[in-house]
Amino acid sequence: VVALGMPTKSVVTTCAYCGVGCGFKTEVKGEQVVRMTPWKDGQANDGHSCVKGRFAWGYATHKDRITKPMVRERITDPWREVSWDEAIAHAASEFKRIQARHGHDAVGGITSSRCTNEEAYLVQKLIRAAFGNNNVDTCARVCHSPTGYGLGQTFGTSAGTQTFKSVEQSDVIMVIGANPTDAHPVFASRMKKRLREGAKLIVVDPRRTDLVASPHVAADFHLQLRPGTNVALVTALAHVIVTEGLLDELFIAERCEDRSFRQWREFVARADNSPEATEAVTGVPAREVRGAARLYATGGNAAIYYGLGVTEHAQGSTMVMGIANLAMATGNVGREGVGVNPLRGQNNVQGSCDMGSFPHELPGYRHVSDSTVRAEFEAAWGVALSAEPGLRIPNMFDAALEGSFKGLYVQGEDIVQSDPNTQHVTEALSRLECLVVQDIFLNETAKYAHVFLPGSSFLEKDGTFTNAERRISRVRKVMKPLGGLADWEVTVKLAEALGYPMPYAHPSQVMDEIARLTPSFRGVSYAKLDKLGSVQWPCNEDTAEAGTPTMHVDGFVRGKGRFVITQYVATAEKVTRRFPLVLTTGRILSQYNVGAQTRRTDNNRWHDEDRLEIHPHDAEERGLREGDWVGITSRAGETVLRAVLSERMQPGVVYTTFHFPESGANVITTDSSDWATNCPEYKVTAVQVSKVAQP
Ligand code: SF4
């Protein structure tokens, strides 16, 4: 503030980092942001914030920002700066040429969980209405797509059941495959406060995260399972609940399908699903599993919070359904202090999924084959829509390699750094005839692009984000887009150049259309958001005008809750003599995802490289000392990192983050993915680690 001068106005907006969605006051002098302070009336954060949201906004005006559109014929050519009109016209004519030559399905697009709801809605509308296919996907493909599938199958909708505040009513908190201290810090503080007040804690994680034991918090149970064995463990927990008579029979009788419950009960009661029988698979002592199951089922209000350690597995969707089974079996759904809560990684993962970013779903999670729903959109959009589900991101890569997919529009997502098996991704992208990248920085994906369209940061546009608790909050413009256009305006121009005008004058008009066409967003308007501060969907005027803090109160969205059998299947990604260790990946507090934003801020002072955490026993076997450089080799590739010896790891398991392109953690992750959604199995990669010279 001293350097930049005193602010002249302040604008309330929403943090653009994690899925907590904290409200902030952005203090501005002219067009210059002076500082961001947590908004005391922010309903997701109650005036709190973390090191990312509060201090790491400087990337918005970083010198690396690209503000001029650029084109080139081949990806080996230098970029040529052009006008917006020329760049858009070039992109549109290339997409049209490709469709004329290779067919309608040869092009597609990817929406961004960092962009607003309105922007994700417009990109999927462009793909469906202007391209004429359903080849649209989102970065949720690589994080929470199993949540969409799993909670849809069991509860009927793809969303967390509670508010963050609900944790204040929990007596037992089970955290599975999540490290909120690093990835969702403001929620972690709220949860730790409740733990200090006496709530019990069960942590299910291969790593000894700080929740397990830190100065003020200690887990009552740490189920330190082997990576890839989640489903065996959740089924063993269910086994204890069923065989020890800990079921909530009344809740099940009133709220759940009888047939699916009986089949599930018979399955989990089998002796081969007992904690004793599965101990050799999970590595978790049976007595610990029994103790945790009893605590969860009988300890009062019990809530589950989970992260990507649940979803990013070959059985990610199965595990989500296993968690939903536990909650239904014990009656822990439909009131404060309980529930099933996915902790979403990016600021608008929930929203981008809500907006129809999946190739099989129109906005509001309605299948493209539903002719009634399609007719509604056809009437509103004035075009015929395809009833065929489109390509998922990995299918787009495969089709590009086969030669049937030739053009891609990517908004606000660095798929080269974030998607698994980098070699496969880059080979596919280099086969495209037209790759259009829209981003604020020249990211790794842009190396394979033919058109670069400057993106706009969250400070440069109006819109909304939806956080992990379904809370829709306003994003408000505090400065002009550095490139001259906000992301939504670029998509509108591209659609027009493709021959499908989308004449919106302001994002509020886009939201009005979303609210008309999307049942879960019915009742949402900028006027309502300005009045209430934020609102949790559903918030329609008939039943819940002020929003819905707790879902499934009187009945599940699908009617009766559905139990699903969770048969454990060992992942194909096996450890061998050649690859004897299991690598699992995650995040750290000061950096965010691929680091494109936080690496360009002072947050780099705390953490300026990805490192490999390895247990001292594994390090000793390899002659490694703290700080040594190590080569990590998998079936997919190899990379080099510096080693950190850590008792947080269990022997046989190593860990790294994916924030830095130089180390490229995804060079070593494989194509293995969730059976239902293709979410990559980032959490299990068989590797070898050995000492190397400094690169
Ligand atoms: Fe932003 Fe998440 Fe930190 Fe809140 S907890 S300030 S939303 S990064």
Side-chain angles (χ1 to χ4, degrees), residues 154-155 251-252 256 324-331 333 556 561-563:
T154 49
F155 294 168
F251 181 91
I252 295 164
C256 303
N325 289 341
L326 283 189
M328 289 188 289
T330 53
V333 189
F556 286 97
R562 177 175 168 231
F563 284 86

Side-chain angles (χ1 to χ4, degrees), residues 15 17-22 24 49-54 183-187:
C15 181
Y17 284 120
C18 86
V20 177
C22 296
F24 272 90
S49 74
C50 79
V51 67
K52 286 190 281 265
R54 178 128 193 203
H184 303 87
V186 167
F187 169 68

Side-chain angles (χ1 to χ4, degrees), residues 298-338:
T298 65
N301 284 342
I304 296 177
Y305 293 86
Y306 72 85
L308 303 181
V310 162
T311 56
E312 292 178 341
H313 285 277
Q315 284 197 289
S317 291
T318 315
M319 181 61 183
V320 172
M321 295 188 286
I323 289 170
N325 289 341
L326 283 189
M328 289 188 289
T330 53
N332 278 308
V333 189
R335 61 180 192 281
E336 275 202 272
V338 301

Side-chain angles (χ1 to χ4, degrees), residues 637-654:
E638 57 190 322
T639 191
V640 174
L641 297 171
R642 227 196 298 245
V644 176
L645 276 52
S646 171
E647 300 263 358
R648 285 180 148 211
M649 307 311 301
Q650 55 180 287
V653 179
V654 291

